[in-house]
Amino acid sequence: MASALYLHIPFCARKCAYCDFASWATPAEDPLVDAYARALGAQLGEAASLGFLEGCETAYLGGGTPTLLGAQGLGTLLKRVADLAAPSELTCEANPDSLCDEVLLSARDAGATRLSIGVQSLDDAELAELGRLHDAACARERVAAAVASGLDVSVDLMCATPGQTHESWARTLEGAVALGVGHLSVYPLQIEEGTALDRRYADDPCMWNAPEVQAERMTKAQALLESHGYARYEVASYARAGKACRHNKAYWTGRSYLGLGTGASSMLNLEEYLRLSTACPKLPAPPGGAVRVRLTGETGRRELAGDARLCAQSFSLEFLTEPQAVAEDLMLGARLTEGLDPALVSRARVLFGARLDDAVDDLLARGLLAEKGGRLAPTEQGWLLGNELYGALWDLAPGEVASASC
Ligand code: SF4
Protein backbone atom coordinates (compact mmCIF):
# COMPACT_ATOMS: atom_id res chain seq x y z
CA MET A 1 0.00 0.00 0.00
CA ALA A 2 1.18 3.60 0.44
CA SER A 3 4.97 3.58 0.45
CA ALA A 4 5.28 6.68 2.63
CA LEU A 5 3.61 7.61 5.90
CA TYR A 6 3.28 11.07 7.45
CA LEU A 7 2.04 11.87 10.96
CA HIS A 8 1.26 15.45 11.97
CA ILE A 9 1.73 16.92 15.45
CA PRO A 10 -0.12 20.27 15.45
CA PHE A 11 1.43 21.77 18.59
CA CYS A 12 4.21 24.32 19.11
CA ALA A 13 5.50 26.06 22.21
CA ARG A 14 4.86 29.39 20.49
CA LYS A 15 3.73 30.45 17.04
CA CYS A 16 6.59 31.76 14.89
CA ALA A 17 5.99 35.15 13.30
CA TYR A 18 5.90 33.80 9.72
CA CYS A 19 4.04 30.54 10.27
CA ASP A 20 0.72 29.61 8.70
CA PHE A 21 1.14 25.84 9.10
CA ALA A 22 -1.42 23.72 10.93
CA SER A 23 0.04 24.30 14.40
CA TRP A 24 -1.22 25.94 17.57
CA ALA A 25 0.69 27.37 20.53
CA THR A 26 0.16 24.81 23.27
CA PRO A 27 1.98 24.21 26.57
CA ALA A 28 3.76 20.84 26.56
CA GLU A 29 1.97 19.90 29.78
CA ASP A 30 -1.50 20.47 28.28
CA PRO A 31 -3.28 17.07 28.55
CA LEU A 32 -4.41 17.57 24.94
CA VAL A 33 -0.85 16.95 23.71
CA ASP A 34 -0.70 13.50 25.26
CA ALA A 35 -4.27 12.65 24.32
CA TYR A 36 -3.66 13.62 20.69
CA ALA A 37 -0.45 11.55 20.48
CA ARG A 38 -2.24 8.51 21.92
CA ALA A 39 -5.13 9.00 19.48
CA LEU A 40 -2.70 9.19 16.57
CA GLY A 41 -1.10 5.96 17.77
CA ALA A 42 -4.54 4.32 17.79
CA GLN A 43 -5.29 5.63 14.29
CA LEU A 44 -2.02 4.19 13.13
CA GLY A 45 -3.20 0.80 14.39
CA GLU A 46 -6.38 1.11 12.31
CA ALA A 47 -4.34 2.06 9.23
CA ALA A 48 -2.15 -1.00 9.82
CA SER A 49 -5.18 -3.29 10.10
CA LEU A 50 -6.38 -1.96 6.74
CA GLY A 51 -3.04 -2.96 5.21
CA PHE A 52 -1.91 0.63 4.63
CA LEU A 53 1.45 0.16 6.31
CA GLU A 54 2.52 -2.91 4.33
CA GLY A 55 5.47 -1.98 2.14
CA CYS A 56 5.93 1.35 3.91
CA GLU A 57 9.44 2.50 3.04
CA THR A 58 9.66 5.86 4.77
CA ALA A 59 7.84 7.66 7.57
CA TYR A 60 7.96 11.24 8.76
CA LEU A 61 6.73 12.68 12.05
CA GLY A 62 6.28 16.37 11.37
CA GLY A 63 4.55 19.40 12.69
CA GLY A 64 4.25 21.58 14.47
CA THR A 65 6.87 20.46 16.90
CA PRO A 66 6.99 16.69 17.53
CA THR A 67 9.72 17.18 20.15
CA LEU A 68 7.11 19.02 22.26
CA LEU A 69 5.71 15.54 23.06
CA GLY A 70 8.66 15.04 25.41
CA ALA A 71 10.90 11.99 25.71
CA GLN A 72 8.21 9.53 26.72
CA GLY A 73 5.41 10.70 24.41
CA LEU A 74 7.70 11.03 21.40
CA GLY A 75 9.43 7.71 22.06
CA THR A 76 6.10 5.90 22.38
CA LEU A 77 4.75 7.28 19.11
CA LEU A 78 7.96 6.69 17.14
CA LYS A 79 8.20 3.15 18.47
CA ARG A 80 4.64 2.51 17.35
CA VAL A 81 5.53 3.73 13.87
CA ALA A 82 8.66 1.56 13.85
CA ASP A 83 6.75 -1.50 15.08
CA LEU A 84 3.74 -1.19 12.78
CA ALA A 85 5.31 0.23 9.61
CA ALA A 86 9.01 -0.73 9.94
CA PRO A 87 10.19 2.03 7.58
CA SER A 88 13.87 1.97 6.68
CA GLU A 89 13.91 5.77 6.97
CA LEU A 90 12.05 7.36 9.90
CA THR A 91 12.43 11.12 10.22
CA CYS A 92 11.36 13.22 13.20
CA GLU A 93 11.13 17.00 12.98
CA ALA A 94 12.59 18.84 15.94
CA ASN A 95 13.08 22.34 17.23
CA PRO A 96 16.31 23.14 19.09
CA ASP A 97 14.56 24.49 22.20
CA SER A 98 12.71 21.21 22.86
CA LEU A 99 15.43 18.82 21.69
CA CYS A 100 17.02 18.08 25.07
CA ASP A 101 19.33 15.05 25.39
CA GLU A 102 16.55 12.92 26.84
CA VAL A 103 14.23 13.63 23.89
CA LEU A 104 17.04 13.10 21.39
CA LEU A 105 18.05 9.72 22.78
CA SER A 106 14.45 8.65 23.19
CA ALA A 107 13.80 9.37 19.49
CA ARG A 108 16.90 7.46 18.44
CA ASP A 109 16.22 4.49 20.68
CA ALA A 110 12.60 4.28 19.51
CA GLY A 111 13.71 3.82 15.91
CA ALA A 112 14.14 7.28 14.37
CA THR A 113 16.91 7.26 11.78
CA ARG A 114 16.86 10.95 10.92
CA LEU A 115 16.20 14.30 12.57
CA SER A 116 15.13 17.40 10.68
CA ILE A 117 15.87 20.40 12.88
CA GLY A 118 14.27 23.82 12.38
CA VAL A 119 17.30 26.09 12.77
CA GLN A 120 16.39 28.79 10.21
CA SER A 121 19.31 31.09 11.10
CA LEU A 122 22.44 31.25 13.23
CA ASP A 123 22.03 34.98 13.88
CA ASP A 124 20.30 35.96 17.12
CA ALA A 125 18.71 39.14 15.78
CA GLU A 126 17.30 37.31 12.75
CA LEU A 127 15.94 34.53 14.94
CA ALA A 128 14.23 37.07 17.20
CA GLU A 129 12.62 38.77 14.18
CA LEU A 130 11.28 35.40 13.05
CA GLY A 131 9.85 34.75 16.50
CA ARG A 132 11.91 31.62 17.00
CA LEU A 133 12.31 30.42 20.59
CA HIS A 134 15.96 29.41 20.31
CA ASP A 135 19.08 31.49 19.86
CA ALA A 136 22.08 30.62 17.71
CA ALA A 137 24.06 29.09 20.60
CA CYS A 138 21.18 26.75 21.46
CA ALA A 139 20.81 25.74 17.80
CA ARG A 140 24.54 25.03 17.45
CA GLU A 141 24.65 23.01 20.63
CA ARG A 142 21.56 20.91 19.87
CA VAL A 143 22.51 20.21 16.25
CA ALA A 144 25.98 19.13 17.40
CA ALA A 145 24.38 16.80 19.96
CA ALA A 146 22.11 15.34 17.29
CA VAL A 147 25.04 14.71 14.95
CA ALA A 148 26.99 13.12 17.82
CA SER A 149 24.05 10.79 18.55
CA GLY A 150 24.67 9.03 15.24
CA LEU A 151 21.34 10.00 13.65
CA ASP A 152 21.26 11.46 10.16
CA VAL A 153 20.70 15.17 10.67
CA SER A 154 19.15 17.77 8.41
CA VAL A 155 18.71 21.46 9.19
CA ASP A 156 16.19 23.88 7.73
CA LEU A 157 17.55 27.34 6.92
CA MET A 158 15.61 30.37 5.77
CA CYS A 159 16.80 33.23 3.57
CA ALA A 160 15.54 36.69 2.56
CA THR A 161 14.38 37.33 6.12
CA PRO A 162 14.22 40.70 7.92
CA GLY A 163 17.66 41.98 8.87
CA GLN A 164 19.52 39.25 6.96
CA THR A 165 22.52 40.38 4.91
CA HIS A 166 24.60 38.62 2.31
CA GLU A 167 27.30 38.20 4.98
CA SER A 168 25.03 36.94 7.75
CA TRP A 169 23.49 34.41 5.33
CA ALA A 170 26.96 33.15 4.43
CA ARG A 171 27.80 32.85 8.14
CA THR A 172 24.62 30.84 8.79
CA LEU A 173 25.39 28.48 5.91
CA GLU A 174 29.04 28.09 6.98
CA GLY A 175 27.97 27.54 10.57
CA ALA A 176 25.53 24.78 9.62
CA VAL A 177 28.14 23.06 7.45
CA ALA A 178 30.66 23.24 10.29
CA LEU A 179 28.26 21.30 12.52
CA GLY A 180 28.66 18.26 10.25
CA VAL A 181 25.07 17.80 9.07
CA GLY A 182 24.48 15.53 6.09
CA HIS A 183 21.48 17.41 4.69
CA LEU A 184 20.21 20.97 4.47
CA SER A 185 16.90 22.40 3.29
CA VAL A 186 17.10 26.03 2.24
CA TYR A 187 14.01 28.18 1.65
CA PRO A 188 13.24 31.82 0.97
CA LEU A 189 10.85 33.23 3.58
CA GLN A 190 7.27 33.49 2.29
CA ILE A 191 5.27 36.27 3.90
CA GLU A 192 1.91 34.58 4.41
CA GLU A 193 -1.27 36.54 4.80
CA GLY A 194 -2.53 36.88 8.35
CA THR A 195 0.76 36.03 10.06
CA ALA A 196 2.42 38.28 12.64
CA LEU A 197 5.15 39.08 10.12
CA ASP A 198 2.59 40.10 7.52
CA ARG A 199 0.97 42.48 10.02
CA ARG A 200 4.33 43.85 11.20
CA TYR A 201 5.43 44.76 7.68
CA ALA A 202 2.03 45.61 6.18
CA ASP A 203 3.19 49.14 5.28
CA ASP A 204 6.73 48.20 4.31
CA PRO A 205 7.91 47.26 0.79
CA CYS A 206 9.95 44.41 2.39
CA MET A 207 12.93 44.88 0.10
CA TRP A 208 14.77 42.26 2.17
CA ASN A 209 12.34 39.68 0.73
CA ALA A 210 12.34 40.94 -2.89
CA PRO A 211 12.57 38.26 -5.63
CA GLU A 212 16.10 39.35 -6.54
CA VAL A 213 17.21 39.03 -2.91
CA GLN A 214 15.68 35.55 -2.72
CA ALA A 215 17.45 34.61 -5.96
CA GLU A 216 20.79 35.97 -4.77
CA ARG A 217 20.55 34.07 -1.44
CA MET A 218 19.52 30.79 -3.09
CA THR A 219 22.38 31.16 -5.58
CA LYS A 220 24.78 31.84 -2.73
CA ALA A 221 23.54 28.74 -0.91
CA GLN A 222 24.11 26.60 -3.98
CA ALA A 223 27.66 27.87 -4.53
CA LEU A 224 28.66 27.57 -0.90
CA LEU A 225 27.07 24.21 -0.20
CA GLU A 226 28.34 22.63 -3.42
CA SER A 227 31.84 23.86 -2.58
CA HIS A 228 31.52 21.88 0.66
CA GLY A 229 30.47 18.67 -1.11
CA TYR A 230 26.69 18.84 -0.84
CA ALA A 231 24.72 18.06 -4.01
CA ARG A 232 21.53 19.95 -4.77
CA TYR A 233 19.01 17.21 -5.58
CA GLU A 234 15.88 19.34 -5.37
CA VAL A 235 15.18 23.05 -5.63
CA ALA A 236 15.50 23.49 -1.84
CA SER A 237 17.41 20.36 -0.77
CA TYR A 238 21.13 19.61 -0.49
CA ALA A 239 22.71 16.37 0.69
CA ARG A 240 26.01 14.61 1.07
CA ALA A 241 26.27 11.30 -0.81
CA GLY A 242 23.60 8.87 0.39
CA LYS A 243 21.90 11.43 2.65
CA ALA A 244 19.05 12.63 0.41
CA CYS A 245 15.65 12.38 2.12
CA ARG A 246 13.84 9.46 0.50
CA HIS A 247 10.55 10.43 2.14
CA ASN A 248 10.48 13.87 0.55
CA LYS A 249 11.37 12.34 -2.81
CA ALA A 250 8.13 10.35 -2.61
CA TYR A 251 6.21 13.65 -2.76
CA TRP A 252 7.94 14.62 -6.01
CA THR A 253 7.87 11.30 -7.83
CA GLY A 254 4.21 10.33 -7.75
CA ARG A 255 4.49 7.66 -5.01
CA SER A 256 1.38 7.45 -2.87
CA TYR A 257 1.52 8.44 0.79
CA LEU A 258 -0.80 8.30 3.76
CA GLY A 259 -1.02 11.30 6.10
CA LEU A 260 -2.59 11.04 9.55
CA GLY A 261 -3.45 13.91 11.87
CA THR A 262 -4.93 17.39 11.81
CA GLY A 263 -4.10 19.09 8.52
CA ALA A 264 -2.16 16.08 7.18
CA SER A 265 -2.30 15.38 3.45
CA SER A 266 -2.52 12.01 1.72
CA MET A 267 -2.18 11.09 -1.90
CA LEU A 268 -3.74 7.75 -2.73
CA ASN A 269 -4.34 5.78 -5.89
CA LEU A 270 -7.86 4.59 -6.56
CA GLU A 271 -7.36 1.16 -5.03
CA GLU A 272 -5.99 2.68 -1.82
CA TYR A 273 -8.83 5.21 -1.67
CA LEU A 274 -11.46 2.49 -2.03
CA ARG A 275 -9.76 0.55 0.73
CA LEU A 276 -9.85 3.62 2.99
CA SER A 277 -13.55 3.99 2.13
CA THR A 278 -14.26 0.59 3.68
CA ALA A 279 -13.22 2.04 7.06
CA CYS A 280 -14.68 5.46 6.37
CA PRO A 281 -17.96 4.92 4.50
CA LYS A 282 -18.81 8.61 4.35
CA LEU A 283 -15.98 9.18 1.84
CA PRO A 284 -17.68 10.03 -1.46
CA ALA A 285 -17.50 7.69 -4.43
CA PRO A 286 -14.80 8.88 -6.84
CA PRO A 287 -16.07 10.49 -10.04
CA GLY A 288 -15.60 8.54 -13.27
CA GLY A 289 -12.07 8.78 -14.63
CA ALA A 290 -10.42 9.56 -11.27
CA VAL A 291 -7.09 7.74 -10.77
CA ARG A 292 -5.63 9.73 -7.88
CA VAL A 293 -7.16 11.22 -4.73
CA ARG A 294 -5.67 13.95 -2.58
CA LEU A 295 -7.11 14.12 0.95
CA THR A 296 -6.46 16.67 3.68
CA GLY A 297 -7.43 15.86 7.26
CA GLU A 298 -9.84 18.56 8.42
CA THR A 299 -10.62 17.16 11.87
CA GLY A 300 -9.58 19.55 14.63
CA ARG A 301 -6.92 18.46 17.10
CA ARG A 302 -9.38 18.26 20.01
CA GLU A 303 -11.90 16.26 18.00
CA LEU A 304 -9.20 13.88 16.82
CA ALA A 305 -7.92 13.43 20.36
CA GLY A 306 -11.49 12.58 21.40
CA ASP A 307 -12.24 10.11 18.61
CA ALA A 308 -9.43 8.83 16.40
CA ARG A 309 -11.45 6.32 14.39
CA LEU A 310 -10.98 6.91 10.68
CA CYS A 311 -14.77 6.87 10.22
CA ALA A 312 -15.01 9.90 12.57
CA GLN A 313 -12.57 12.07 10.58
CA SER A 314 -13.40 14.91 8.19
CA PHE A 315 -11.58 15.42 4.91
CA SER A 316 -11.37 17.73 1.98
CA LEU A 317 -10.72 15.85 -1.24
CA GLU A 318 -9.52 16.35 -4.78
CA PHE A 319 -9.98 13.73 -7.50
CA LEU A 320 -7.51 13.79 -10.37
CA THR A 321 -7.96 12.16 -13.76
CA GLU A 322 -4.99 10.47 -15.40
CA PRO A 323 -4.04 13.53 -17.51
CA GLN A 324 -4.26 15.70 -14.39
CA ALA A 325 -2.15 13.25 -12.38
CA VAL A 326 0.49 13.13 -15.13
CA ALA A 327 0.58 16.95 -15.37
CA GLU A 328 0.99 17.07 -11.60
CA ASP A 329 3.86 14.56 -11.76
CA LEU A 330 5.57 16.64 -14.46
CA MET A 331 5.20 19.75 -12.30
CA LEU A 332 6.56 18.06 -9.17
CA GLY A 333 9.32 16.28 -11.09
CA ALA A 334 10.58 19.66 -12.28
CA ARG A 335 11.66 20.34 -8.68
CA LEU A 336 14.29 17.61 -8.96
CA THR A 337 17.81 18.14 -10.26
CA GLU A 338 17.66 14.78 -12.06
CA GLY A 339 14.69 16.13 -14.01
CA LEU A 340 11.75 14.34 -15.54
CA ASP A 341 11.57 10.57 -15.80
CA PRO A 342 11.61 9.74 -19.55
CA ALA A 343 8.82 7.20 -19.02
CA LEU A 344 6.67 9.97 -17.53
CA VAL A 345 7.42 12.26 -20.47
CA SER A 346 6.48 9.47 -22.89
CA ARG A 347 3.19 8.96 -21.07
CA ALA A 348 2.55 12.71 -21.19
CA ARG A 349 3.24 12.71 -24.95
CA VAL A 350 0.58 10.05 -25.46
CA LEU A 351 -1.92 12.03 -23.38
CA PHE A 352 -1.13 15.60 -24.47
CA GLY A 353 0.31 15.13 -27.97
CA ALA A 354 1.60 18.31 -29.58
CA ARG A 355 0.62 20.41 -26.56
CA LEU A 356 3.41 18.77 -24.57
CA ASP A 357 6.00 19.39 -27.29
CA ASP A 358 4.88 23.02 -27.61
CA ALA A 359 5.11 23.55 -23.86
CA VAL A 360 8.53 21.87 -23.63
CA ASP A 361 9.86 23.80 -26.64
CA ASP A 362 8.72 27.04 -25.04
CA LEU A 363 10.34 26.17 -21.69
CA LEU A 364 13.58 25.16 -23.44
CA ALA A 365 13.58 28.41 -25.44
CA ARG A 366 13.05 30.44 -22.27
CA GLY A 367 15.88 28.61 -20.53
CA LEU A 368 13.64 27.21 -17.79
CA LEU A 369 14.25 23.59 -18.84
CA ALA A 370 17.33 22.05 -20.47
CA GLU A 371 18.26 18.61 -21.80
CA LYS A 372 20.76 16.94 -19.48
CA GLY A 373 21.94 13.37 -19.95
CA GLY A 374 18.87 12.45 -22.00
CA ARG A 375 16.40 13.94 -19.52
CA LEU A 376 14.52 17.20 -19.39
CA ALA A 377 15.73 18.96 -16.26
CA PRO A 378 15.08 22.34 -14.62
CA THR A 379 17.72 25.03 -15.00
CA GLU A 380 18.79 27.43 -12.28
CA GLN A 381 16.64 30.04 -14.04
CA GLY A 382 13.75 27.59 -14.06
CA TRP A 383 13.97 27.21 -10.30
CA LEU A 384 14.30 30.94 -9.75
CA LEU A 385 11.14 31.41 -11.86
CA GLY A 386 9.57 28.30 -10.39
CA ASN A 387 5.98 29.50 -10.65
CA GLU A 388 6.36 29.93 -14.41
CA LEU A 389 8.01 26.54 -14.89
CA TYR A 390 5.64 24.58 -12.66
CA GLY A 391 2.62 26.54 -13.91
CA ALA A 392 3.36 25.78 -17.57
CA LEU A 393 3.53 22.03 -16.82
CA TRP A 394 0.42 22.02 -14.65
CA ASP A 395 -1.47 23.97 -17.33
CA LEU A 396 -1.27 20.86 -19.51
CA ALA A 397 -3.89 19.32 -17.19
CA PRO A 398 -7.31 19.51 -18.85
CA GLY A 399 -10.41 20.66 -16.97
CA GLU A 400 -11.03 21.49 -13.35
CA VAL A 401 -9.95 19.16 -10.57
CA ALA A 402 -13.09 17.68 -8.97
CA SER A 403 -13.30 18.46 -5.25
CA ALA A 404 -15.46 17.39 -2.34
CA SER A 405 -15.53 17.42 1.44
CA CYS A 406 -17.01 15.09 4.00
S1 SF4 B 1 8.01 25.76 14.97
FE1 SF4 B 1 7.42 25.44 12.82
S2 SF4 B 1 5.29 24.79 12.87
FE2 SF4 B 1 5.78 25.66 14.88
S3 SF4 B 1 5.13 27.78 14.75
FE3 SF4 B 1 7.30 27.73 14.20
S4 SF4 B 1 7.35 27.49 11.96
FE4 SF4 B 1 5.27 27.00 12.65
Side-chain angles (χ1 to χ4, degrees), residues 3 59 97 131 159 234 243 248 293 344 362 383 397:
S3 65
D97 47 282
C159 62
E234 188 259 347
K243 300 298 181 188
N248 286 346
V293 189
L344 174 64
D362 181 54
W383 276 333

Side-chain angles (χ1 to χ4, degrees), residues 125-211:
E126 291 170 19
L127 287 166
E129 268 283 333
L130 295 172
R132 300 291 297 181
L133 273 171
H134 62 270
D135 60 16
C138 170
R140 280 200 176 86
E141 206 243 325
R142 293 292 80 206
V143 173
V147 171
S149 77
L151 289 166
D152 285 332
V153 177
S154 175
V155 293
D156 283 359
L157 301 177
M158 195 176 269
C159 62
T161 64
Q164 188 183 67
T165 63
H166 185 79
E167 291 72 28
S168 72
W169 177 231
R171 282 195 299 275
T172 287
L173 290 164
E174 293 278 10
V177 168
L179 291 167
V181 298
H183 187 283
L184 298 101
S185 296
V186 178
Y187 303 91
L189 168 68
Q190 303 296 317
I191 305 173
E192 304 292 354
E193 214 178 310
T195 58
L197 203 73
D198 179 42
R199 288 191 293 277
R200 192 183 306 157
Y201 290 101
D203 300 320
D204 191 298
C206 297
M207 294 315 293
W208 39 267
N209 190 246

Side-chain angles (χ1 to χ4, degrees), residues 104-382:
L104 173 60
L105 298 179
S106 169
R108 186 193 65 184
D109 295 346
T113 62
R114 208 174 162 269
L115 279 180
S116 174
I117 306 178
V119 169
Q120 314 311 350
S121 170
L122 291 173
D123 180 289
D124 285 345
E126 291 170 19
L127 287 166
E129 268 283 333
L130 295 172
R132 300 291 297 181
L133 273 171
H134 62 270
D135 60 16
C138 170
R140 280 200 176 86
E141 206 243 325
R142 293 292 80 206
V143 173
V147 171
S149 77
L151 289 166
D152 285 332
V153 177
S154 175
V155 293
D156 283 359
L157 301 177
M158 195 176 269
C159 62
T161 64
Q164 188 183 67
T165 63
H166 185 79
E167 291 72 28
S168 72
W169 177 231
R171 282 195 299 275
T172 287
L173 290 164
E174 293 278 10
V177 168
L179 291 167
V181 298
H183 187 283
L184 298 101
S185 296
V186 178
Y187 303 91
L189 168 68
Q190 303 296 317
I191 305 173
E192 304 292 354
E193 214 178 310
T195 58
L197 203 73
D198 179 42
R199 288 191 293 277
R200 192 183 306 157
Y201 290 101
D203 300 320
D204 191 298
C206 297
M207 294 315 293
W208 39 267
N209 190 246
E212 49 283 11
V213 176
Q214 297 186 19
E216 184 263 336
R217 299 283 152 78
M218 292 297 275
T219 303
K220 174 70 186 172
Q222 176 168 15
L224 192 148
L225 294 175
E226 287 184 351
S227 77
H228 283 283
Y230 296 86
R232 188 180 193 180
Y233 67 97
E234 188 259 347
V235 57
S237 307
Y238 295 82
R240 292 205 183 280
K243 300 298 181 188
C245 177
R246 289 193 288 123
H247 183 85
N248 286 346
K249 276 190 89 171
Y251 296 145
W252 306 314
T253 52
R255 280 165 47 205
S256 59
Y257 49 89
L258 177 71
L260 300 178
T262 298
S265 296
S266 303
M267 188 187 87
L268 303 179
N269 62 34
L270 209 56
E271 183 197 346
E272 291 160 343
Y273 179 71
L274 294 175
R275 187 179 291 215
L276 184 64
S277 302
T278 62
C280 193
K282 68 178 176 179
L283 284 171
V291 299
R292 172 179 290 177
V293 189
R294 291 192 165 278
L295 302 93
T296 304
E298 301 289 355
T299 312
R301 58 208 187 281
R302 291 178 207 288
E303 291 72 24
L304 192 148
D307 189 347
R309 291 173 306 151
L310 288 169
C311 64
Q313 308 309 302
S314 304
F315 300 97
S316 58
L317 304 109
E318 290 183 331
F319 297 96
L320 279 72
T321 61
E322 189 188 4
Q324 290 167 341
V326 168
E328 182 174 72
D329 288 345
L330 289 172
M331 174 181 74
L332 294 171
R335 297 180 64 96
L336 293 167
T337 304
E338 68 189 24
L340 304 175
D341 181 347
L344 174 64
V345 176
S346 298
R347 185 74 201 124
R349 189 160 284 119
V350 170
L351 290 167
F352 304 130
R355 288 182 61 224
L356 177 77
D357 293 321
D358 291 347
V360 168
D361 286 347
D362 181 54
L363 293 168
L364 288 168
R366 291 160 67 197
L368 304 183
L369 277 183
E371 304 216 34
K372 287 184 203 156
R375 294 172 79 118
L376 288 167
T379 61
E380 181 62 29
Q381 182 70 358

